[in-house]
């Protein structure tokens, strides 16, 4: 989860999020270079006495300042499209979990198992134990195996919700009557927090998402225990 007053992204927990962080840094570096150049030119224009006031055209410099921005845009667009298609990939998942948004909680169904489903409600502030996070902790966490490709199916029973976990680079709309799909692959164990990311009603802020990524053998024990 994010620490207080955090400005940047949370650490990546999936290969996709690592790609997104790299792309973010790459784009920000281009923005930084352009703004430095523009600021430098502005300061030059404000401090220099203008000469060549009778110059009517300058073909060479106009050609450069048309082609250069086009090349910069391509340098941003190509890696962006690459990640977009990577995120769309399904990669034969080993496990499928369906999540439904409700006003105002999430429910989870492990569709590969006979009867493994539960609701996940936020723990109210007055019931928190010391060290637990306010507005983020839930009664039933989504336990998932790490280093396994998981298909998340996301939908809603009532209004629009959005299932989001920032450190995994996930944000998928939960739309009633439509089943959205996304791929989840955690690279390290731990607790990962997210929140509903669609203004869905009066308790929108009180339907967090908690993923518990564990090694596969632990997940198997948990699923046996839950059945
Ligand atoms: Cu919601």
């Amino acid at each position: 989860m994010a620490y207080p007053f955090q400005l940047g992204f949370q650490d990546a927990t999936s290969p996709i999020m690592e790609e997104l962080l790299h792309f973010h840094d790459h784009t920000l570096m281009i923005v930084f270079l352009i703004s430095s150049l523009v600021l430098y030119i502005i300061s030059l224009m404000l401090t220099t006495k203008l000469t060549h006031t009778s110059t009517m055209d300058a073909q060479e410099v106009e050609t450069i300042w048309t082609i250069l921005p086009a090349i910069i845009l391509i340098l941003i667009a190509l890696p962006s499209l690459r990640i977009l298609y990577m995120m769309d990939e399904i990669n034969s998942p080993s496990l499928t979990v369906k999540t439904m948004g409700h006003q105002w909680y999430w429910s989870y169904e492990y569709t590969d198992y006979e009867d493994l489903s539960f609701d996940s409600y936020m723990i109210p502030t007055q019931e928190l134990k010391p060290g637990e996070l306010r507005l983020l902790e839930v009664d039933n966490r989504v336990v998932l195996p790490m280093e396994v490709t998981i298909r998340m199916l996301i939908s809603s029973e009532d209004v629009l919700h959005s299932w989001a976990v920032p450190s995994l680079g996930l944000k998928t709309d939960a739309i009633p009557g439509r089943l959205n799909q996304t791929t989840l692959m955690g690279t390290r164990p731990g607790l990962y927090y997210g929140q509903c990311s669609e203004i869905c009603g009066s308790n929108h802020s009180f339907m967090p998402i908690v993923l518990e990524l564990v090694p596969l053998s632990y997940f198997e024990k948990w699923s046996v225990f839950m059945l």
Side-chain angles (χ1 to χ4, degrees):
M1 62 162 279
Y3 53 84
F5 303 103
Q6 180 169 346
L7 286 178
F9 286 106
Q10 298 179 29
D11 287 345
T13 311
S14 71
I16 287 286
M17 191 58 201
E18 270 168 34
E19 294 283 337
L20 288 170
L21 289 180
H22 284 139
F23 176 63
H24 168 264
D25 294 352
H26 162 82
T27 316
L28 214 64
M29 193 48 93
I30 294 174
V31 170
F32 177 72
L33 289 174
I34 293 173
S35 1
S36 320
L37 183 71
V38 170
L39 275 171
Y40 174 66
I41 294 173
I42 289 175
S43 67
L44 271 191
M45 290 181 77
L46 290 173
T47 50
T48 317
K49 203 158 173 271
L50 291 172
T51 51
H52 300 297
T53 43
S54 59
T55 305
M56 297 303 284
D57 66 338
Q59 298 293 342
E60 294 82 14
V61 76
E62 280 180 21
T63 312
I64 293 168
W65 75 44
T66 308
I67 291 173
L68 203 65
I71 293 172
I72 293 172
L73 283 180
I74 290 168
L75 286 180
I76 297 173
L78 288 182
S80 168
L81 284 173
R82 180 177 149 268
I83 302 174
L84 192 70
Y85 284 111
M86 271 168 69
M87 293 172 86
D88 231 26
E89 207 106 340
I90 305 299
N91 314 313
S92 56
S94 328
L95 182 75
T96 304
V97 178
K98 189 179 90 176
T99 174
M100 295 290 267
H102 304 259
Q103 280 179 322
W104 285 274
Y105 63 97
W106 294 97
S107 65
Y108 298 92
E109 234 174 84
Y110 290 65
T111 43
D112 300 301
Y113 294 83
E114 187 72 31
D115 186 29
L116 180 45
S117 62
F118 51 84
D119 296 336
S120 184
Y121 282 88
M122 188 194 77
I123 298 179
T125 305
Q126 58 274 18
E127 287 166 30
L128 286 176
K129 294 186 193 78
E132 288 187 334
L133 303 161
R134 194 177 72 92
L135 305 182
L136 281 178
E137 226 70 55
V138 295
D139 55 354
N140 292 307
R141 291 167 178 164
V142 196
V143 179
L144 291 173
M146 55 181 255
E147 287 177 330
V148 165
T149 311
I150 300 159
R151 169 169 47 203
M152 288 300 304
L153 298 173
I154 294 137
S155 187
S156 169
E157 294 257 275
D158 36 56
V159 297
L160 294 174
H161 298 275
S162 180
W163 197 81
V165 184
S167 54
L168 285 158
L170 293 175
K171 183 172 282 180
T172 308
D173 280 345
I175 300 164
R178 184 191 154 112
L179 201 61
N180 278 331
Q181 179 176 265
T182 189
T183 311
L184 190 159
M185 219 280 281
T187 46
R188 54 202 171 101
L191 286 181
Y192 300 98
Y193 292 88
Q195 286 173 302
C196 177
S197 295
E198 176 72 56
I199 312 286
C200 60
S202 62
N203 287 338
H204 157 68
S205 329
F206 310 120
M207 48 184 299
I209 297 145
V210 185
L211 300 189
E212 190 174 333
L213 294 185
V214 294
L216 186 59
S217 56
Y218 285 71
F219 174 76
E220 280 166 354
K221 279 180 202 148
W222 173 82
S223 63
V224 170
F225 171 75
M226 289 293 283
L227 282 168

